[in-house]
Amino acid sequence: MDNTLSMIGLALRAGRLEVGDEAAGDACRYKRCRLLLVAADAGEGAQRRAMHFAEEGQCLLAEIPCSKEELGAALGRKSCAMAALTDLGLAQAVAGRLAQGDPERYGEMTERLRVKAERAAQRREKTARERQQRGGGKRPPVKYRKK
């Protein structure tokens, strides 16, 4: 579990983690969240909000096996019940670490994040090919017709 918490702390230092209910909710609402983390001992209201945020933002929700105090200590706070990872690669790494400890519980989530990462890579390749065919540079401007 320490490896997972250190990975989450690394995401915070990289600026790819939104900490707290409000910040995590905003990340989900604006569809920036890739993986929403909730502490195991979070209150019923916080868990219900997290489920709502995950549905609204179409992101994955993971209850991590640590207390609010442990998660907060990893993030340099007193306690933290909810955090949102906004980077797909870091979300995939955290899910992989969780799956190493409990593959039955987190295996499907890890697979879904892997599929999302593959799709994102395909989209990047497609746009790079299109840019290369255009001769580099930006997209041509959109021409509007007068009505």
Side-chain angles (χ1 to χ4, degrees), residues 56-132:
E56 187 178 1
Q58 299 171 351
C59 63
L60 298 173
L61 175 67
E63 183 179 304
I64 56 175
C66 69
S67 67
K68 294 187 295 187
E69 288 75 25
E70 291 172 336
L71 182 59
L75 302 176
R77 295 174 180 238
K78 186 175 178 182
S79 71
C80 175
M82 190 183 310
L85 280 161
T86 59
D87 184 71
L88 188 57
L90 284 169
Q92 197 174 5
V94 168
R97 296 268 171 99
L98 289 170
Q100 285 176 352
D102 191 359
E104 194 173 293
R105 186 173 177 188
Y106 300 107
E108 180 185 347
M109 178 183 10
T110 304
E111 182 61 26
R112 288 179 63 188
L113 282 169
R114 186 189 61 77
V115 169
K116 281 187 176 193
E118 286 177 2
R119 288 180 184 162
Q122 289 172 353
R123 285 191 301 270
R124 280 193 303 271
E125 289 174 10
K126 181 181 175 188
T127 55
R129 280 195 307 270
E130 289 173 355
R131 191 175 297 126
Q132 189 177 24

Side-chain angles (χ1 to χ4, degrees), residues 35 116 134:
L35 180 62
K116 281 187 176 193
R134 284 194 309 264

